[in-house]
Amino acid sequence: MGKPTGFLEFERTLPQKESVESRKQNYQEFVHSYTDDQLNQQAARCMNCGIPFCHSGCPLGNVIPEFNDAVYDARWEEAYNILVSTNNFPEFTGRICPAPCEAACVLGINKPPVAIEEIEKHIIEIAFKKNYVQPNKSYIKTGKRVAVVGSGPAGLAAAAQLNKAGHDVVVYERDDKVGGLLRYGIPDFKLDKSVIDRRVEVMEQSGIVFKTNAEVGINVPASELQDYDAIILAGGSTIPRNLPIPGRELKGVHYAMEFLKQQNKRVGNSPIEVEEILATDKNVLVIGGGDTGSDCVGTSNRHGAKSVTQFELMPQPPQERTSAMPWPTYPMLLKTTTSHEEGCQRYWSVSTKAFLGDDKGHVRAALVVDLEWETDAFGRPTKFKEVEGSEREISCELVTLAMGFLHPQHEGLLQQLGVKLDGRGNVEAREGEYKASADKVFVAGDMRRGQSLVVWAISEGRECARKVDEFLMGYSELECKDQTVSYA
């Protein structure tokens, strides 16, 4: 415990951000760093609880009070070693994780929780500056070869862990650059791609081989993988949820990832091989209230959209915990992101009934209706009905559908490998085992559990790597999330 009275003396503060008008002019990260004193004070707020619920709140089981104590005393290398003992990529989670650890923070019962996510980001950035982050050079090689399909957070975590165990790892990525969702799903203003490049360089120096423009099952036959001793499928949940209503075929109605991926390619100077999607001088409608929808809002504002409107089918969430979401569970509260701060008209309990087009086949408006929700005894929405007389048109020349993802792509890789699928269309694997139905094939991340968080993907990749290591060697010394680790 850095300072026994720290949680009484210091309030939670977050780093300063660039002004809205300034940050809308570019795609750079806009959150500043803490000063040394601010970082010290935020770490001092950690109470070193007898039962640190933040551990269980974090899917990775990060050892949070211990690294906060090290930060308070400026023991940077120790803080770094504690953090990376459970998390391969704190530079990712420190930027884009919704921080379920903070929702479980004991201090959060009656005060704002410890700023765990920001502290985590500062630890890894200081570690890079001080050259603590070094390639893994395993001097004991097993002679086993592992193929990892997909270079998103699950695939990267699995590759890093298996490399650490002494196996030779090759990662296949269908896009032109490594990163998966991190590269082409997260806008640069939230995660600068130099952060990914920096990490990939360390992994390459560790001996991991990356093959890009290699879509297994399409331009790389799945049979090529049979030469490996084990295969990990980490391709993610890539099939978006559609909105099959009249007018869906109109020009200007796109999936969110089509829109976001194009902009990331522009920033990264990668070629765009399809018709460009731009929000410039258009009324933009974003359907879907999650993080992907928020990313569409921020990108549209940077394009110079005339207006940005966001719809959500569900009712507006509460601003504080209710009896249906007690501490330390993750609360579904109203979230106003930095993109919303930049300009967005938000509506809840709205259903889109049709898209209306002009005489050129381009979307000009959405026909919508308000909804009235019934709730259960805990205030949770259960069913809805349309509000009579609320039907109206909302002008829009660009629509992005950000309603989540259904399952991984079945054509190609999964069909050629012959793996079984579960009832949701994901690759079937026993809970905690990560073993698919096909011989020597394992699966991790969204491809196994369905659409989820980056922190869950990293956790899945790490746990899957341990099971692969056991499969190859009969045992594994890789860290397990359920192990108790002491840093006394």
Side-chain angles (χ1 to χ4, degrees):
M1 188 177 201
K3 189 172 188 180
T5 57
F7 71 98
L8 296 172
E9 296 179 36
F10 306 118
E11 296 298 320
R12 174 186 168 104
T13 60
L14 295 175
Q16 293 294 311
K17 299 181 291 232
E18 294 285 338
S19 68
V20 167
E21 287 308 311
S22 172
R23 70 196 196 217
K24 283 168 60 177
Q25 305 307 313
N26 57 68
Y27 294 88
Q28 299 169 3
E29 291 186 13
F30 50 81
V31 180
H32 296 172
S33 298
Y34 284 130
T35 65
D36 291 345
D37 286 343
Q38 287 173 330
L39 182 56
N40 176 269
Q41 290 174 5
Q42 293 307 302
R45 297 185 72 238
C46 181
M47 300 188 295
N48 192 22
C49 308
I51 300 178
F53 281 82
C54 54
H55 285 196
S56 58
C58 174
L60 288 164
N62 283 345
V63 191
I64 294 163
E66 283 79 358
F67 72 59
N68 279 329
D69 181 63
V71 169
Y72 178 79
D73 289 328
R75 304 192 306 271
W76 302 119
E77 189 168 11
E78 180 183 343
Y80 165 71
N81 287 332
I82 294 171
L83 180 55
V84 297
S85 70
T86 56
N87 184 355
N88 298 83
F89 313 119
E91 65 269 37
F92 302 154
T93 55
R95 286 171 165 84
I96 58 175
C97 182
C101 55
E102 294 184 13
C105 175
V106 175
L107 184 58
I109 294 175
N110 64 347
K111 297 188 73 173
V114 175
I116 301 169
E117 183 180 13
E118 278 295 335
I119 294 173
E120 182 176 306
K121 183 176 80 171
H122 281 70
I123 292 172
I124 189 61
E125 291 305 320
I126 290 170
F128 269 106
K129 289 178 182 177
K130 292 182 176 291
N131 293 319
Y132 298 149
V133 184
Q134 295 294 323
N136 172 66
K137 297 295 184 182
S138 177
Y139 295 103
I140 301 177
K141 304 297 288 186
T142 66
K144 304 292 186 179
R145 300 176 67 238
V146 182
V148 177
V149 182
S151 69
L156 291 178
Q161 290 296 97
L162 289 168
N163 174 263
K164 181 179 178 181
H167 307 305
D168 294 319
V169 182
V170 178
V171 180
Y172 291 82
E173 169 55 52
R174 67 180 181 178
D175 278 314
D176 60 332
K177 295 179 182 178
V178 173
L181 173 73
L182 298 169
R183 174 76 62 179
Y184 288 129
I186 308 296
D188 289 72
F189 55 81
K190 289 175 64 175
L191 175 64
D192 191 285
K193 301 310 177 275
S194 64
V195 175
I196 303 174
D197 295 336
R198 178 180 65 181
R199 176 58 67 176
V200 170
E201 183 179 353
V202 173
M203 296 178 73
E204 288 178 328
Q205 291 172 359
S206 300
I208 298 171
V209 176
F210 292 94
K211 294 186 177 183
T212 55
N213 292 311
E215 186 169 4
V216 183
I218 305 298
N219 64 347
V220 176
S223 58
E224 180 178 311
L225 302 185
Q226 297 306 319
D227 293 336
Y228 292 89
D229 298 293
I231 303 164
I232 294 179
L233 307 180
S237 184
T238 56
I239 303 302
R241 181 173 284 107
N242 197 7
L243 185 59
I245 59 175
R248 172 63 181 88
E249 76 287 352
L250 290 168
K251 296 177 183 177
V253 182
H254 301 275
Y255 289 119
M257 280 302 162
E258 295 175 335
F259 178 58
L260 296 174
K261 184 173 182 177
Q262 274 200 16
Q263 184 53 49
N264 283 12
K265 280 182 170 271
R266 286 190 200 96
V267 176
N269 295 315
S270 293
I272 298 173
E273 299 171 349
V274 295
E275 184 179 354
E276 288 197 293
I277 307 170
L278 294 168
T280 310
D281 296 326
K282 294 177 182 176
N283 295 299
V284 178
L285 174 59
V286 179
I287 300 180
D291 287 337
T292 301
S294 169
D295 294 341
C296 289
V297 171
T299 301
S300 297
N301 280 321
R302 283 161 178 75
H303 280 189
K306 186 183 297 183
S307 70
V308 183
T309 303
Q310 186 176 26
F311 286 168
E312 171 57 62
L313 186 73
M314 302 297 288
Q316 181 174 335
Q319 298 191 27
E320 296 180 351
R321 288 183 185 269
T322 66
S323 57
M325 50 184 85
W327 178 90
T329 60
Y330 188 78
M332 303 303 293
L333 302 178
L334 177 63
K335 184 177 180 181
T336 299
T337 69
T338 55
S339 291
H340 293 134
E341 294 171 0
E342 295 162 4
C344 177
Q345 188 67 48
R346 306 168 73 186
Y347 295 94
W348 289 267
S349 300
V350 173
S351 176
T352 308
K353 303 193 71 173
F355 298 119
L356 310 176
D358 59 20
D359 55 7
K360 296 181 180 179
H362 200 285
V363 66
R364 65 168 180 82
L367 182 65
V368 305
V369 64
D370 291 331
L371 304 177
E372 182 178 322
W373 284 87
E374 292 184 16
T375 58
D376 61 16
F378 294 98
R380 296 173 297 200
T382 54
K383 60 181 180 178
F384 63 81
K385 63 180 180 180
E386 295 183 0
V387 177
E388 188 176 349
S390 65
E391 195 170 278
R392 62 197 185 279
E393 292 184 14
I394 300 293
S395 296
C396 54
E397 295 82 49
L398 174 63
V399 178
T400 60
L401 305 179
M403 303 178 298
F405 298 86
L406 297 174
H407 50 67
Q409 178 179 314
H410 296 161
E411 299 77 15
L413 171 64
L414 300 186
Q415 287 182 348
Q416 291 181 24
L417 288 176
V419 294
K420 291 182 181 179
L421 305 176
D422 64 18
R424 296 184 299 160
N426 298 317
V427 178
E428 185 177 85
R430 286 179 55 190
E431 186 69 29
E433 293 298 320
Y434 302 92
K435 180 70 176 64
S437 58
D439 181 46
K440 69 182 181 183
V441 177
F442 294 77
V443 60
D446 291 2
M447 188 174 268
R448 186 192 75 84
R449 64 178 283 120
Q451 177 189 348
S452 191
L453 306 174
V454 167
V455 67
W456 265 114
I458 297 173
S459 174
E460 287 263 317
R462 289 174 61 89
E463 296 301 306
C464 180
R466 181 178 172 85
K467 292 301 179 181
V468 171
D469 192 31
E470 290 177 353
F471 169 76
L472 295 174
M473 307 302 294
Y475 68 97
S476 180
E477 294 184 355
L478 291 174
E479 299 88 352
C480 175
K481 183 170 64 175
D482 296 329
Q483 288 175 327
T484 301
V485 181
S486 174
Y487 290 93

